[in-house]
Amino acid sequence: MSLLKQIFTWWNGQTIGTRFHTWRFGTKVGQDEFGNVYYQGGGKDSEGRTRRWVIYNGYADASAIPPGWHGWMHHRTDVSPADESYKAREWEKAHRANPTGTSQAYRPPGSLAATGERPRVTGDYDAWTPGN
């Protein structure tokens, strides 16, 4: 089943094409605390920079890339987080995956997906009409 997943799905880790490209051209740069593995190599991108990619641990979700690795992936820095001794400052929050589409997503009052009752209309709103 794993081979079929790799052939027919792109959201479950890596596809056959990505596996081949990684095996043939990729140089492992490092791994983050979530198990995502980062590579570079295999030529240049459209702007002449070395290609960089990630093999996700699980579903392919770009919000699962921590801030340090995000900067490296987008060529904001040439030094990967694996090669530097990065210490988070006390005001920095820990990385949190994007909760959109999950039970942890934000649902404001009045939303159809929110629990409870919708707030009552107060009558302090007048709709705009042309010519007024």
Side-chain angles (χ1 to χ4, degrees):
M1 185 64 158
S2 179
L3 179 64
L4 290 176
K5 262 190 190 178
Q6 289 182 9
I7 292 171
F8 294 109
T9 66
W10 54 265
W11 56 87
N12 288 313
Q14 60 182 324
T15 61
I16 292 292
T18 305
R19 180 177 288 228
F20 176 75
H21 187 79
T22 302
W23 169 76
R24 182 84 164 91
F25 304 109
T27 303
K28 183 178 176 180
V29 175
Q31 185 171 344
D32 65 19
E33 63 268 21
F34 303 113
N36 301 323
V37 183
Y38 299 87
Y39 295 91
Q40 71 178 357
K44 305 286 184 188
D45 65 7
S46 61
E47 296 180 19
R49 303 173 301 193
T50 304
R51 289 183 181 217
R52 296 176 177 173
W53 67 95
V54 59
I55 305 293
Y56 293 99
N57 181 20
Y59 285 116
D61 180 10
S63 71
I65 298 178
W69 283 105
H70 181 271
W72 178 82
M73 287 283 295
H74 293 278
H75 297 275
R76 301 292 180 251
T77 179
D78 289 330
V79 180
S80 73
D83 295 335
E84 67 180 358
S85 58
Y86 174 77
K87 298 259 312 168
R89 298 194 171 100
E90 71 269 0
W91 48 265
E92 290 182 284
K93 292 183 177 181
H95 173 70
R96 201 181 85 172
N98 185 351
T100 302
T102 69
S103 62
Q104 303 298 315
Y106 174 68
R107 293 177 173 88
S111 166
L112 294 175
T115 58
E117 199 171 307
R118 185 175 176 177
R120 291 188 96 30
V121 177
T122 61
D124 62 350
Y125 173 78
D126 291 325
W128 177 83
T129 54
N132 286 346

